[in-house]
Amino acid sequence: MNQENRNMVLFLAVAALILVGWPIIARTFLPAPPRPAVNKSVSATDKPVTSAAGTPVVDAAKAVRDRNLVLAETPRVAITTPSLKGSINLKGARLDDLVLLQQRETIDKNSPPVRLLSPSGTDHSYFAGFGWAGDGIAVPDKNTVWTADAAALTPGKPVTLGWTNPQGVRFQLKFTVDQNYMFSIEQSVGNGSAAVVTARPYGLVSRTGLPTHPDSWVNHVGPIGVFGNGANYDIGYPNLKGTDRSFFGTVFGANVKPGPNYFDNKGGWLGFGDMYWLTALIPDQDAQVHAGFRAAGDTFQADFATTPVVVQPGKVARQTTRFFAGAKEVRLIDKYQDQGNIVNFDKAIDWGWFRIVEKPIFYYLDFLFRLVGNFGVAIILLTITIRGLLFPIAQRQFASMAKMKAIQPKMKALQERYKDDKPRQQQEIMALYKTEGVNPLGGCGPTLLQIPIMYALYKVLLLSTEMRHQPFILWIRDLSAPDPLTPINLFGLLPFTPPVFLAIGIIPILLGISMYFQFKLNPAPMDEAQKQVFAIMPWMLMFVMAPFAVGLQLYWITSNALTILQQRLLYSRHPEMLVPTPKKK
């Protein structure tokens, strides 16, 4: 195998090792600071009733009913902002009706907005609730009907819900909302009784069913929270149900107990993250909280409770919780973290190990998109920029490979001369490297430097909510989805949908063609087996990449085109690289 092929094999092996093996290595040799112990006051095998904090578990309704009917049968306060529309249910004081006005279900112009929250008793119910747990006093529950001081909640115009128990204790929830996706809920207890009152404020998010996008080792989808020093991506829905996880979930979430998982912590936040959406409870960042996740059947719950508050007669105790419900837009998430003092809120997006590279790439891509107004063009410009920055590295790599190729005859002579004396052979070869000024690792070293950048580009395009439903040109109306046109059914003229493994669109075909010409520029290997592998590889990768987002394929096609131009230039400077390496006899 010649040096160029060895470099390729080494590159692929090290890339696989880094992307798959690094999390295991890091977990073993670079352990994260220990997290608080898992709460064991709730049995992992019994159906939970209450946590140690007294937060109620919300069970799914027995029957699923029409959402419009469910919404119409309870009194409500409307929610209207530039980004959100929905309502607060006065029965139970639940935030259970919310759509994202700036996000659509599909690319169709008449598509409804994305529904994030839905009331209990509907398909895939999903809602947030806030209340108190207490001993010796009546507290509001899911059947309590609150009164409201306004008919609508809008930015700058809060709404206060109130309810008074038979002992004269007044409970209030003051809701405010900003222009985007952040709610603020001030929970207050006014003691109008003659006795001291002790209550423990809590917040919860409940969802029934699993999200559309599955959890994966590349991007965590599911329960997420910050408890202490970093984000917890280890807990999955199967963990909470007490069932086995996938291979990757088992490996990377090996420290997660089956069943409820709870933590004691100061501040932090927790909730549920989907591919593009997030709900997150954000308690006072200075408050001591007991927080975590649990499940009852197919209903999953994230909840927290703070330390009990003692309210003397005639006094009022207040605590503020924030609740995020919206799209995982990078700039907005970072703004809430920085200006809202939310610890590690940017980790709601699972950037992974290369976030130090990924976030600058995203911000540059977003800048280009705002500049040109077309996300596909922005991807092309980003690719050109990255390849331009990496060109000096590629040039040095090519020069090193050319030197290695030039000394191949001398190396073969040394190997033949000292074939019976391996130590002497290695000494002479090393001396040859030194004399000729050749670094044997110079060909693969620059390649390894490119791995974090290439992987970062992949992650940015995979996670970017900003790319969702962005058009490019002609039939490409959604860069976050696979190419919809395929010649298998004559581009939709034949009335059938090809199976996934055959649904090869135009863009994947162009990708395969670009890879074919890229491979053709490389010197033909002398080994027949290698020739066959290199001949079939572009078309195999075409099928592998077909289900991926068009945005990612567009990046790869652009990168291949630039590689072809780059190779032509470098081969013109190093024509000796075009000479096939003689097959070893």
Side-chain angles (χ1 to χ4, degrees), residues 333-342:
I333 293 288
D334 286 350
K335 179 180 177 182
Y336 283 134
Q337 173 177 279
D338 298 337
Q339 299 182 8
N341 191 32
I342 305 173

Side-chain angles (χ1 to χ4, degrees), residues 9-26:
V9 173
L10 181 60
F11 167 77
L12 295 174
V14 174
L17 177 64
I18 290 177
L19 299 183
V20 178
W22 173 249
I24 302 175
I25 296 172

Side-chain angles (χ1 to χ4, degrees), residues 15-155:
L17 177 64
I18 290 177
L19 299 183
V20 178
W22 173 249
I24 302 175
I25 296 172
R27 183 183 299 280
T28 304
F29 298 104
L30 300 172
R35 295 190 178 98
V38 176
N39 171 47
K40 298 179 181 177
S41 61
V42 183
S43 169
T45 58
D46 296 335
K47 179 180 176 181
V49 178
T50 59
S51 74
T55 311
V57 163
V58 180
D59 290 323
K62 300 295 184 185
V64 175
R65 301 164 57 207
D66 181 81
R67 182 181 297 110
N68 292 329
L69 294 177
V70 175
L71 292 173
E73 64 188 16
T74 54
R76 293 182 170 270
V77 171
I79 300 171
T80 304
T81 80
S83 304
L84 301 171
K85 184 176 182 181
S87 60
I88 301 171
N89 190 350
L90 292 181
K91 182 178 180 181
R94 289 178 174 176
L95 213 170
D96 64 358
D97 171 30
L98 205 63
V99 297
L100 312 182
L101 295 177
Q102 298 176 6
Q103 304 287 341
R104 297 287 169 178
E105 292 284 356
T106 68
I107 58 176
D108 187 87
K109 64 179 181 180
N110 296 320
S111 174
V114 168
R115 173 164 290 279
L116 186 60
L117 302 183
S118 190
S120 177
T122 63
D123 187 35
H124 286 83
S125 67
Y126 197 176
F127 56 86
F130 306 89
W132 294 261
D135 295 324
I137 61 169
V139 295
D141 59 22
K142 65 180 182 180
N143 295 313
T144 300
V145 178
W146 298 66
T147 59
D149 65 355
L153 171 64
T154 59

Side-chain angles (χ1 to χ4, degrees), residues 273-413:
D274 291 339
M275 184 71 173
Y276 299 118
W277 328 121
L278 172 72
T279 57
L281 298 164
I282 308 162
D284 187 322
Q285 297 297 280
D286 293 323
Q288 191 68 30
V289 298
H290 180 76
F293 307 93
R294 49 189 160 152
D298 287 326
T299 297
F300 306 93
Q301 181 169 302
D303 58 62
F304 78 90
T306 65
T307 53
V309 295
V310 178
V311 188
Q312 300 293 333
K315 300 296 182 179
V316 178
R318 293 182 174 86
Q319 175 182 284
T320 299
T321 298
R322 284 173 288 178
F323 175 59
F324 179 94
K328 295 193 293 187
E329 299 169 5
V330 178
R331 289 183 179 273
L332 186 60
I333 293 288
D334 286 350
K335 179 180 177 182
Y336 283 134
Q337 173 177 279
D338 298 337
Q339 299 182 8
N341 191 32
I342 305 173
V343 177
N344 286 326
F345 198 51
D346 66 331
K347 292 186 178 178
I349 301 171
D350 184 9
W351 294 109
W353 291 103
F354 298 125
R355 68 189 299 272
I356 193 172
V357 181
E358 291 163 16
K359 291 197 71 173
I361 288 176
F362 167 81
Y363 272 103
Y364 179 59
L365 176 62
D366 191 54
F367 163 76
L368 292 174
F369 172 52
R370 294 168 186 265
L371 182 67
V372 301
N374 185 296
F375 211 95
V377 175
I379 291 173
I380 294 174
L381 294 176
L382 171 68
T383 311
I384 294 173
T385 302
I386 296 296
R387 294 309 299 261
L389 293 174
L390 293 178
F391 182 76
I393 298 177
Q395 193 173 24
R396 286 195 293 270
Q397 177 185 6
F398 229 75
S400 177
M401 292 167 61
K403 287 182 179 180
M404 284 293 298
K405 193 176 185 69
I407 67 170
Q408 286 296 312
K410 296 181 180 181
M411 286 183 61
K412 290 183 182 299

